[in-house]
Structure formats: C-alpha cells, structure tokens
Amino acid sequence: MDFLTNILNILLFLVMLGVLITIHELGHFIAAKAFKVYVFEFAVGFGPKIFRKKKGETFYSLRALPLGGFVAMYGEEDTLPDEYKEQEIDKSRSLLGINRGKRAIIMSAGIIMNLILGYAIF
C-alpha cells in the first residue's frame, strides 16, 4: 500500500508541477502576444517533442520531460530557428524591438500568473 501511495504522490506532484509551469509560461506567452512580439514556439516540457502543431505563426508543443517549459520569442537569441530562416520578420516584432517597460512586463508575466494562480487556489 505504501508503494502505491508513493507512486500516486509522485504522479500528483508531476501533474501539479505541469499545471504550475503551464500557467507560468502562459503568462509570458499572453504578454508577448499582447505586445505583438513574434512567438516562435510555446512548449510545455523539455526534451523530445511528443506533439507539435502550428497555429498561426506559433508552434505549440508538448515535450517528453514535464519539468519545465519555454516560450521562444523573436529577439531572445541572435539567430532565427531553422524553420524561420527564409522568413522576413519585422524587427519591431522582436523582444528587443519593443520598449523596456513592455519587455519587463513580458519577463515578469510568468511570476504574476503564478501569483494569480496561488490566489485563485486559496
């Protein structure tokens, strides 16, 4: 019985962690989209892709390791992802192409969403 309880606790922990990470990354994503920053990919998890679908200009993916996630935005890296090499994206849609205040909101939006989640749970 203890073994089953431990397995259930681990699974519940992974589900809760997945929810927390998804809400956090969703904060960054929503803020970036609100300020018209080009988002290459919204991913939950790390590692190999389990699922990937493109809707509009953004890829949405679920990865194998549920211990993180990311929002890949134009201007975070010096180079474009391979899928976008031929595409001409306006510099004003990059993370560095917006003012610092908007950039700060995008970067802190994940934390703000976690605070809202905590408030909603209580």
Side-chain angles (χ1 to χ4, degrees), residues 42-103:
F42 173 81
V44 176
F46 289 119
K49 298 173 193 95
I50 295 173
F51 171 80
R52 188 177 194 206
K53 182 177 175 127
K54 187 170 187 176
K55 185 175 179 191
E57 63 192 22
T58 305
F59 282 103
Y60 298 87
S61 63
L62 181 62
R63 307 281 180 125
L65 302 171
L67 302 174
F70 63 90
V71 177
M73 295 174 264
Y74 180 41
E76 281 184 309
E77 301 287 327
D78 292 336
T79 59
L80 291 172
D82 290 337
E83 295 103 335
Y84 297 90
K85 294 275 185 201
E86 273 86 55
Q87 202 169 339
E88 201 54 45
I89 305 169
D90 187 11
K91 297 277 188 201
S92 68
R93 299 217 40 217
S94 79
L95 200 54
L96 297 174
I98 60 174
N99 70 48
R100 285 188 213 165
K102 290 178 181 179
R103 204 174 323 147

Side-chain angles (χ1 to χ4, degrees), residues 16-28 107-122:
M16 293 294 196
L17 188 62
V19 168
L20 186 66
I21 290 166
T22 302
I23 295 296
H24 177 89
E25 296 303 332
L26 198 57
H28 296 303
M107 291 302 149
S108 61
I111 298 166
I112 293 166
M113 286 294 280
N114 286 142
L115 289 171
I116 293 169
L117 176 64
Y119 182 76
I121 289 171
F122 281 110

Side-chain angles (χ1 to χ4, degrees), residues 4-50:
L4 227 52
T5 304
N6 288 340
I7 296 297
L8 183 61
N9 285 338
I10 290 169
L11 289 174
L12 286 173
F13 170 75
L14 289 175
V15 167
M16 293 294 196
L17 188 62
V19 168
L20 186 66
I21 290 166
T22 302
I23 295 296
H24 177 89
E25 296 303 332
L26 198 57
H28 296 303
F29 177 75
I30 290 169
K33 286 293 193 177
F35 294 128
K36 310 257 188 289
V37 172
Y38 198 100
V39 177
F40 299 121
E41 185 172 3
F42 173 81
V44 176
F46 289 119
K49 298 173 193 95
I50 295 173

